[in-house]
Amino acid sequence: MTSAARPLLLSNVRLPDGSPVSVPVVNGRIEAPGPNVAPPPGAAIEDGGGALLLPGFVEGHTHLDKSHWGRAWYRNEVGPNLVDRIENERAWRKAAGHDAGAQSLALARAFLAAGTTRLRSHVDIDTDAGLHYLEGVLETRHALRDVLDMQIVAFPQSGMLIRPGTEDLLGSALAAGADVLGALDPALIDGDPVGSLNATFALAKRYGKPIDIHLHEPGDIGAFTLKLLLDRVEATGMQGQVVVSHAFCLGALPEPQALLERIARLDVALLTSAPPSRPVPPLKRCREMGITIFGGNDGIRDTWTPYGVPDMLERAMLIGLRYDLRRDDDLAIAFDCVSAAAARGCGFADYGLHAGARADLVLVDAETIAHAVVARPRRKLVVSNGHVVARDGALTDLA
Amino acid sequence: MTSAARPLLLSNVRLPDGSPVSVPVVNGRIEAPGPNVAPPPGAAIEDGGGALLLPGFVEGHTHLDKSHWGRAWYRNEVGPNLVDRIENERAWRKAAGHDAGAQSLALARAFLAAGTTRLRSHVDIDTDAGLHYLEGVLETRHALRDVLDMQIVAFPQSGMLIRPGTEDLLGSALAAGADVLGALDPALIDGDPVGSLNATFALAKRYGKPIDIHLHEPGDIGAFTLKLLLDRVEATGMQGQVVVSHAFCLGALPEPQALLERIARLDVALLTSAPPSRPVPPLKRCREMGITIFGGNDGIRDTWTPYGVPDMLERAMLIGLRYDLRRDDDLAIAFDCVSAAAARGCGFADYGLHAGARADLVLVDAETIAHAVVARPRRKLVVSNGHVVARDGALTDLA
């Protein structure tokens, strides 16, 4: 891996609107794209063969540290409840000596090969593992620092208040390099919505970090917790710095309008993996109200779920299916969830295909964005931070 | 293509329970599989390399005649209602000169390459197209007769009673080679649930054919129509000869128990594509009550939907996601929906991996059935009716 990318001209590609362009890249940044652009001095030239040009994909919510990606099949015999899954996982990982460093690296590289150049991963912090999994994922981030823009969320998967010592560990995780403070079901896991949220916001303020909370709580109790959370966003001035992940409750309330208006006003973003078996926040309505709502895979091939692939086009397809998006203009919304909206929701800077943006580029053989989402074709070329990191689905030696 | 397959020994494969076997095939039938089996006289030998052996997949509900598979991208700008989609499609197909023969052949071959060896396709019959689309699909069935076991449903996509002349055309379709009589929303499309169902059952009896009805009608009206249908199954003695496709109403009723009991008693089967955005019949409950419930893709890449691939492992994955099946034993249910249960629901005979079954075999590099469903690996080998029809995802010259 090199830290400085050689200049590049990506020629003979099509923008999503169909117009042919070439894209010059210097110092890892896009220079003015256009139909007839001279190669920058010393540039390598990549002929795109008329392929569709997309911005690098953004994974808004995954759990790199949990995955068994590339390992022997994990036989899932877990009970049906959230608590069963939490207990099973913590015990299994401890007993099996699960290597969060090696596994997060394997999965992150697979994401990169499939065109994801920015990624937010939650990482378990608990009183059994301490910061062990975080250390592994920090190593992965360091190893891929030139080619993958990674945010780490310090996530209390086993609860915070109910496991004394976790709060201090979360603080240590933020001090050690985690970018975002995570949280989990303040009422139904922590058992004390006010106390749990107060502790979370205090910790975030102390370390000057944004928040990304897992809120699985359904219907009325989810709405109750969400109101408490919004109160604290307002009281602490953390507008624009909080993501609510999952937010199933917003898909189940008969009248979520007042809550949605407040979410919009406080610039709280929503993350959905668009699970087919759960209520989900109303995608189009949120967008119309100005709420940033974006997509993520959640866990991939771990003790929680056997499903998932590190491919944001497949996640966009699943978002499209969940929200019954069939028209081409609607499928562009599904793609936005795993690209620009996710970059905005997570706060990844300089995102897009405009001059000045970080040169994160994906080429696919597809006629349109809608076609790319439903067909999920092999990635012909992936450029990240100006580096050619993958060709035809396989990583180059720059990744 | 040849009609008689050469004897075959498929050696060095694993059954879903993990046990190593070889499978002898003579005259297109499986002979007794076992750990140490001598090749039948004159047999070709295929070394499976330790791959997982699955029975050929069964597509329980698709629309081969509508698909644009392999054609230029169709830009979907259709309105949101069922009627919009029906009108748009009929007009588009007529204006575009859509070739149901070529398109059904392209899609059927793609199904075969991905391991589907039995398939039920609905084919539109209407007063604009007459039997034109049916003729195309009959040609496809004839072209693939040795390697794909195909059932054709004569389907009044534009309604039956509301378009006079359709009923006669459906009769002509059954006389011309369609195997099953289709029907569509007797209340909400045909506008006369009693009249429509009476006509459907009378036609089925006259031609001695089973019925497969599309029932999209939601909640209470769906339940109302379904009761009328069950009355007629009982009155006509058509137990075991009726499939209700979609049956969204069964996923939306607060108390479907009485209806489900009657469905079980009358041996009516249910088909679901497990759409993430619609209510679906309760899969496990149906199975526990003895109801045959099976899976299908529905349309693939047509004017209705941009989604879909002719891969029953992907459909099994989507069924698993819709019903939140995460344990290995639950994922085996998802696979059953696209294999044995679908064969039972459609009435495909001699299905399975036992001696005497039609030799429809698929090899994949996967550790278990659950692994195959979530990973959807390329098909290493597909055998249909004793013929090696595909290797590594590509058709051989026998298909």
PDB file of all heavy atoms in Angstrom, chain B residues 286-309:
ATOM      1  N   CYS B 286     -48.510 -22.402   9.036  1.00  0.00           N
ATOM      2  CA  CYS B 286     -49.093 -23.181   7.951  1.00  0.00           C
ATOM      3  C   CYS B 286     -48.477 -24.569   7.896  1.00  0.00           C
ATOM      4  O   CYS B 286     -49.182 -25.578   7.781  1.00  0.00           O
ATOM      5  CB  CYS B 286     -48.895 -22.472   6.613  1.00  0.00           C
ATOM      6  SG  CYS B 286     -49.966 -21.041   6.358  1.00  0.00           S
ATOM      7  N   ARG B 287     -47.149 -24.619   7.975  1.00  0.00           N
ATOM      8  CA  ARG B 287     -46.465 -25.920   7.907  1.00  0.00           C
ATOM      9  C   ARG B 287     -46.880 -26.819   9.059  1.00  0.00           C
ATOM     10  O   ARG B 287     -47.116 -28.011   8.879  1.00  0.00           O
ATOM     11  CB  ARG B 287     -44.955 -25.716   7.889  1.00  0.00           C
ATOM     12  CG  ARG B 287     -44.441 -25.129   6.579  1.00  0.00           C
ATOM     13  CD  ARG B 287     -42.962 -24.787   6.665  1.00  0.00           C
ATOM     14  NE  ARG B 287     -42.128 -25.951   6.904  1.00  0.00           N
ATOM     15  CZ  ARG B 287     -41.520 -26.663   5.945  1.00  0.00           C
ATOM     16  NH1 ARG B 287     -41.649 -26.320   4.681  1.00  0.00           N
ATOM     17  NH2 ARG B 287     -40.767 -27.702   6.262  1.00  0.00           N
ATOM     18  N   GLU B 288     -46.970 -26.228  10.245  1.00  0.00           N
ATOM     19  CA  GLU B 288     -47.349 -27.028  11.413  1.00  0.00           C
ATOM     20  C   GLU B 288     -48.773 -27.581  11.273  1.00  0.00           C
ATOM     21  O   GLU B 288     -49.094 -28.632  11.812  1.00  0.00           O
ATOM     22  CB  GLU B 288     -47.247 -26.177  12.685  1.00  0.00           C
ATOM     23  CG  GLU B 288     -45.810 -25.994  13.162  1.00  0.00           C
ATOM     24  CD  GLU B 288     -45.600 -24.764  14.046  1.00  0.00           C
ATOM     25  OE1 GLU B 288     -46.617 -24.190  14.514  1.00  0.00           O
ATOM     26  OE2 GLU B 288     -44.436 -24.375  14.227  1.00  0.00           O
ATOM     27  N   MET B 289     -49.610 -26.857  10.535  1.00  0.00           N
ATOM     28  CA  MET B 289     -50.988 -27.303  10.337  1.00  0.00           C
ATOM     29  C   MET B 289     -51.115 -28.249   9.150  1.00  0.00           C
ATOM     30  O   MET B 289     -52.231 -28.681   8.829  1.00  0.00           O
ATOM     31  CB  MET B 289     -51.887 -26.084  10.132  1.00  0.00           C
ATOM     32  CG  MET B 289     -51.982 -25.219  11.381  1.00  0.00           C
ATOM     33  SD  MET B 289     -52.940 -23.708  11.087  1.00  0.00           S
ATOM     34  CE  MET B 289     -54.587 -24.424  10.868  1.00  0.00           C
ATOM     35  N   GLY B 290     -49.998 -28.527   8.496  1.00  0.00           N
ATOM     36  CA  GLY B 290     -50.037 -29.467   7.382  1.00  0.00           C
ATOM     37  C   GLY B 290     -50.354 -28.841   6.034  1.00  0.00           C
ATOM     38  O   GLY B 290     -50.607 -29.557   5.056  1.00  0.00           O
ATOM     39  N   ILE B 291     -50.362 -27.514   5.969  1.00  0.00           N
ATOM     40  CA  ILE B 291     -50.604 -26.835   4.693  1.00  0.00           C
ATOM     41  C   ILE B 291     -49.303 -26.812   3.885  1.00  0.00           C
ATOM     42  O   ILE B 291     -48.243 -26.491   4.417  1.00  0.00           O
ATOM     43  CB  ILE B 291     -51.090 -25.387   4.930  1.00  0.00           C
ATOM     44  CG1 ILE B 291     -52.435 -25.395   5.654  1.00  0.00           C
ATOM     45  CG2 ILE B 291     -51.174 -24.604   3.622  1.00  0.00           C
ATOM     46  CD1 ILE B 291     -52.892 -24.036   6.158  1.00  0.00           C
ATOM     47  N   THR B 292     -49.404 -27.154   2.613  1.00  0.00           N
ATOM     48  CA  THR B 292     -48.243 -27.017   1.725  1.00  0.00           C
ATOM     49  C   THR B 292     -48.109 -25.549   1.350  1.00  0.00           C
ATOM     50  O   THR B 292     -48.998 -24.982   0.714  1.00  0.00           O
ATOM     51  CB  THR B 292     -48.420 -27.868   0.456  1.00  0.00           C
ATOM     52  OG1 THR B 292     -48.440 -29.251   0.843  1.00  0.00           O
ATOM     53  CG2 THR B 292     -47.259 -27.644  -0.513  1.00  0.00           C
ATOM     54  N   ILE B 293     -47.002 -24.946   1.760  1.00  0.00           N
ATOM     55  CA  ILE B 293     -46.730 -23.552   1.400  1.00  0.00           C
ATOM     56  C   ILE B 293     -45.357 -23.520   0.759  1.00  0.00           C
ATOM     57  O   ILE B 293     -44.410 -24.092   1.288  1.00  0.00           O
ATOM     58  CB  ILE B 293     -46.874 -22.595   2.606  1.00  0.00           C
ATOM     59  CG1 ILE B 293     -46.474 -21.161   2.222  1.00  0.00           C
ATOM     60  CG2 ILE B 293     -46.151 -23.078   3.835  1.00  0.00           C
ATOM     61  CD1 ILE B 293     -46.904 -20.113   3.246  1.00  0.00           C
ATOM     62  N   PHE B 294     -45.284 -22.892  -0.406  1.00  0.00           N
ATOM     63  CA  PHE B 294     -44.045 -22.965  -1.177  1.00  0.00           C
ATOM     64  C   PHE B 294     -43.717 -21.615  -1.793  1.00  0.00           C
ATOM     65  O   PHE B 294     -44.474 -20.652  -1.649  1.00  0.00           O
ATOM     66  CB  PHE B 294     -44.126 -24.084  -2.230  1.00  0.00           C
ATOM     67  CG  PHE B 294     -45.213 -23.926  -3.257  1.00  0.00           C
ATOM     68  CD1 PHE B 294     -44.916 -23.496  -4.546  1.00  0.00           C
ATOM     69  CD2 PHE B 294     -46.530 -24.235  -2.952  1.00  0.00           C
ATOM     70  CE1 PHE B 294     -45.908 -23.366  -5.510  1.00  0.00           C
ATOM     71  CE2 PHE B 294     -47.533 -24.102  -3.907  1.00  0.00           C
ATOM     72  CZ  PHE B 294     -47.220 -23.662  -5.188  1.00  0.00           C
ATOM     73  N   GLY B 295     -42.565 -21.546  -2.467  1.00  0.00           N
ATOM     74  CA  GLY B 295     -42.034 -20.262  -2.890  1.00  0.00           C
ATOM     75  C   GLY B 295     -41.905 -20.102  -4.391  1.00  0.00           C
ATOM     76  O   GLY B 295     -41.846 -21.070  -5.140  1.00  0.00           O
ATOM     77  N   GLY B 296     -41.878 -18.853  -4.821  1.00  0.00           N
ATOM     78  CA  GLY B 296     -41.657 -18.541  -6.223  1.00  0.00           C
ATOM     79  C   GLY B 296     -41.170 -17.113  -6.350  1.00  0.00           C
ATOM     80  O   GLY B 296     -41.321 -16.315  -5.420  1.00  0.00           O
ATOM     81  N   ASN B 297     -40.607 -16.796  -7.490  1.00  0.00           N
ATOM     82  CA  ASN B 297     -40.067 -15.447  -7.706  1.00  0.00           C
ATOM     83  C   ASN B 297     -41.123 -14.428  -8.081  1.00  0.00           C
ATOM     84  O   ASN B 297     -40.905 -13.240  -7.920  1.00  0.00           O
ATOM     85  CB  ASN B 297     -39.030 -15.470  -8.831  1.00  0.00           C
ATOM     86  CG  ASN B 297     -37.685 -15.942  -8.341  1.00  0.00           C
ATOM     87  OD1 ASN B 297     -37.087 -15.318  -7.483  1.00  0.00           O
ATOM     88  ND2 ASN B 297     -37.213 -17.069  -8.850  1.00  0.00           N
ATOM     89  N   ASP B 298     -42.249 -14.904  -8.639  1.00  0.00           N
ATOM     90  CA  ASP B 298     -43.168 -13.986  -9.299  1.00  0.00           C
ATOM     91  C   ASP B 298     -42.420 -13.401 -10.505  1.00  0.00           C
ATOM     92  O   ASP B 298     -41.459 -13.997 -10.977  1.00  0.00           O
ATOM     93  CB  ASP B 298     -43.657 -12.916  -8.320  1.00  0.00           C
ATOM     94  CG  ASP B 298     -45.029 -12.347  -8.715  1.00  0.00           C
ATOM     95  OD1 ASP B 298     -45.520 -12.681  -9.820  1.00  0.00           O
ATOM     96  OD2 ASP B 298     -45.605 -11.592  -7.936  1.00  0.00           O
ATOM     97  N   GLY B 299     -42.830 -12.247 -11.003  1.00  0.00           N
ATOM     98  CA  GLY B 299     -42.199 -11.696 -12.206  1.00  0.00           C
ATOM     99  C   GLY B 299     -40.732 -11.365 -11.989  1.00  0.00           C
ATOM    100  O   GLY B 299     -40.318 -11.038 -10.878  1.00  0.00           O
ATOM    101  N   ILE B 300     -39.960 -11.450 -13.063  1.00  0.00           N
ATOM    102  CA  ILE B 300     -38.533 -11.126 -13.023  1.00  0.00           C
ATOM    103  C   ILE B 300     -38.246 -10.112 -14.116  1.00  0.00           C
ATOM    104  O   ILE B 300     -38.476 -10.390 -15.296  1.00  0.00           O
ATOM    105  CB  ILE B 300     -37.686 -12.394 -13.245  1.00  0.00           C
ATOM    106  CG1 ILE B 300     -37.834 -13.334 -12.046  1.00  0.00           C
ATOM    107  CG2 ILE B 300     -36.208 -12.037 -13.490  1.00  0.00           C
ATOM    108  CD1 ILE B 300     -37.125 -14.654 -12.200  1.00  0.00           C
ATOM    109  N   ARG B 301     -37.796  -8.930 -13.722  1.00  0.00           N
ATOM    110  CA  ARG B 301     -37.351  -7.922 -14.684  1.00  0.00           C
ATOM    111  C   ARG B 301     -38.392  -7.708 -15.786  1.00  0.00           C
ATOM    112  O   ARG B 301     -38.133  -7.984 -16.951  1.00  0.00           O
ATOM    113  CB  ARG B 301     -36.012  -8.403 -15.262  1.00  0.00           C
ATOM    114  CG  ARG B 301     -35.133  -7.365 -15.883  1.00  0.00           C
ATOM    115  CD  ARG B 301     -34.424  -6.467 -14.915  1.00  0.00           C
ATOM    116  NE  ARG B 301     -33.328  -7.062 -14.193  1.00  0.00           N
ATOM    117  CZ  ARG B 301     -32.081  -7.223 -14.651  1.00  0.00           C
ATOM    118  NH1 ARG B 301     -31.763  -6.841 -15.842  1.00  0.00           N
ATOM    119  NH2 ARG B 301     -31.151  -7.717 -13.881  1.00  0.00           N
ATOM    120  N   ASP B 302     -39.557  -7.191 -15.405  1.00  0.00           N
ATOM    121  CA  ASP B 302     -40.602  -6.925 -16.391  1.00  0.00           C
ATOM    122  C   ASP B 302     -41.196  -5.536 -16.148  1.00  0.00           C
ATOM    123  O   ASP B 302     -40.604  -4.742 -15.401  1.00  0.00           O
ATOM    124  CB  ASP B 302     -41.654  -8.049 -16.367  1.00  0.00           C
ATOM    125  CG  ASP B 302     -42.255  -8.273 -14.979  1.00  0.00           C
ATOM    126  OD1 ASP B 302     -42.370  -7.295 -14.214  1.00  0.00           O
ATOM    127  OD2 ASP B 302     -42.617  -9.423 -14.664  1.00  0.00           O
ATOM    128  N   THR B 303     -42.321  -5.237 -16.775  1.00  0.00           N
ATOM    129  CA  THR B 303     -42.869  -3.882 -16.591  1.00  0.00           C
ATOM    130  C   THR B 303     -43.445  -3.701 -15.182  1.00  0.00           C
ATOM    131  O   THR B 303     -43.684  -2.571 -14.751  1.00  0.00           O
ATOM    132  CB  THR B 303     -43.980  -3.542 -17.600  1.00  0.00           C
ATOM    133  OG1 THR B 303     -45.087  -4.409 -17.375  1.00  0.00           O
ATOM    134  CG2 THR B 303     -43.496  -3.672 -19.036  1.00  0.00           C
ATOM    135  N   TRP B 304     -43.701  -4.810 -14.491  1.00  0.00           N
ATOM    136  CA  TRP B 304     -44.221  -4.723 -13.126  1.00  0.00           C
ATOM    137  C   TRP B 304     -43.124  -4.400 -12.133  1.00  0.00           C
ATOM    138  O   TRP B 304     -43.296  -3.602 -11.236  1.00  0.00           O
ATOM    139  CB  TRP B 304     -44.856  -6.061 -12.721  1.00  0.00           C
ATOM    140  CG  TRP B 304     -46.117  -6.341 -13.410  1.00  0.00           C
ATOM    141  CD1 TRP B 304     -46.282  -6.655 -14.735  1.00  0.00           C
ATOM    142  CD2 TRP B 304     -47.423  -6.328 -12.840  1.00  0.00           C
ATOM    143  NE1 TRP B 304     -47.613  -6.847 -15.007  1.00  0.00           N
ATOM    144  CE2 TRP B 304     -48.329  -6.661 -13.861  1.00  0.00           C
ATOM    145  CE3 TRP B 304     -47.908  -6.093 -11.552  1.00  0.00           C
ATOM    146  CZ2 TRP B 304     -49.710  -6.734 -13.625  1.00  0.00           C
ATOM    147  CZ3 TRP B 304     -49.268  -6.183 -11.326  1.00  0.00           C
ATOM    148  CH2 TRP B 304     -50.153  -6.485 -12.364  1.00  0.00           C
ATOM    149  N   THR B 305     -42.036  -5.139 -12.282  1.00  0.00           N
ATOM    150  CA  THR B 305     -40.976  -5.055 -11.277  1.00  0.00           C
ATOM    151  C   THR B 305     -39.608  -5.078 -11.936  1.00  0.00           C
ATOM    152  O   THR B 305     -39.395  -5.865 -12.857  1.00  0.00           O
ATOM    153  CB  THR B 305     -41.073  -6.220 -10.279  1.00  0.00           C
ATOM    154  OG1 THR B 305     -39.964  -6.109  -9.355  1.00  0.00           O
ATOM    155  CG2 THR B 305     -40.986  -7.573 -10.959  1.00  0.00           C
ATOM    156  N   PRO B 306     -38.701  -4.226 -11.472  1.00  0.00           N
ATOM    157  CA  PRO B 306     -37.332  -4.297 -11.988  1.00  0.00           C
ATOM    158  C   PRO B 306     -36.529  -5.422 -11.342  1.00  0.00           C
ATOM    159  O   PRO B 306     -35.457  -5.773 -11.822  1.00  0.00           O
ATOM    160  CB  PRO B 306     -36.745  -2.941 -11.579  1.00  0.00           C
ATOM    161  CG  PRO B 306     -37.491  -2.577 -10.334  1.00  0.00           C
ATOM    162  CD  PRO B 306     -38.885  -3.129 -10.512  1.00  0.00           C
ATOM    163  N   TYR B 307     -37.060  -5.976 -10.245  1.00  0.00           N
ATOM    164  CA  TYR B 307     -36.274  -6.904  -9.420  1.00  0.00           C
ATOM    165  C   TYR B 307     -36.310  -8.326  -9.973  1.00  0.00           C
ATOM    166  O   TYR B 307     -37.088  -8.649 -10.855  1.00  0.00           O
ATOM    167  CB  TYR B 307     -36.814  -6.926  -7.986  1.00  0.00           C
ATOM    168  CG  TYR B 307     -36.726  -5.593  -7.300  1.00  0.00           C
ATOM    169  CD1 TYR B 307     -37.832  -4.759  -7.226  1.00  0.00           C
ATOM    170  CD2 TYR B 307     -35.535  -5.147  -6.754  1.00  0.00           C
ATOM    171  CE1 TYR B 307     -37.759  -3.519  -6.605  1.00  0.00           C
ATOM    172  CE2 TYR B 307     -35.449  -3.912  -6.128  1.00  0.00           C
ATOM    173  CZ  TYR B 307     -36.559  -3.111  -6.056  1.00  0.00           C
ATOM    174  OH  TYR B 307     -36.480  -1.890  -5.450  1.00  0.00           O
ATOM    175  N   GLY B 308     -35.522  -9.166  -9.320  1.00  0.00           N
ATOM    176  CA  GLY B 308     -35.606 -10.592  -9.555  1.00  0.00           C
ATOM    177  C   GLY B 308     -34.445 -11.139 -10.350  1.00  0.00           C
ATOM    178  O   GLY B 308     -33.920 -10.505 -11.260  1.00  0.00           O
ATOM    179  N   VAL B 309     -34.041 -12.337  -9.960  1.00  0.00           N
ATOM    180  CA  VAL B 309     -33.070 -13.111 -10.715  1.00  0.00           C
ATOM    181  C   VAL B 309     -33.588 -14.549 -10.740  1.00  0.00           C
ATOM    182  O   VAL B 309     -34.255 -14.978  -9.810  1.00  0.00           O
ATOM    183  CB  VAL B 309     -31.660 -13.066 -10.095  1.00  0.00           C
ATOM    184  CG1 VAL B 309     -31.009 -11.718 -10.342  1.00  0.00           C
ATOM    185  CG2 VAL B 309     -31.691 -13.387  -8.623  1.00  0.00           C
TER     186      VAL B 309
END
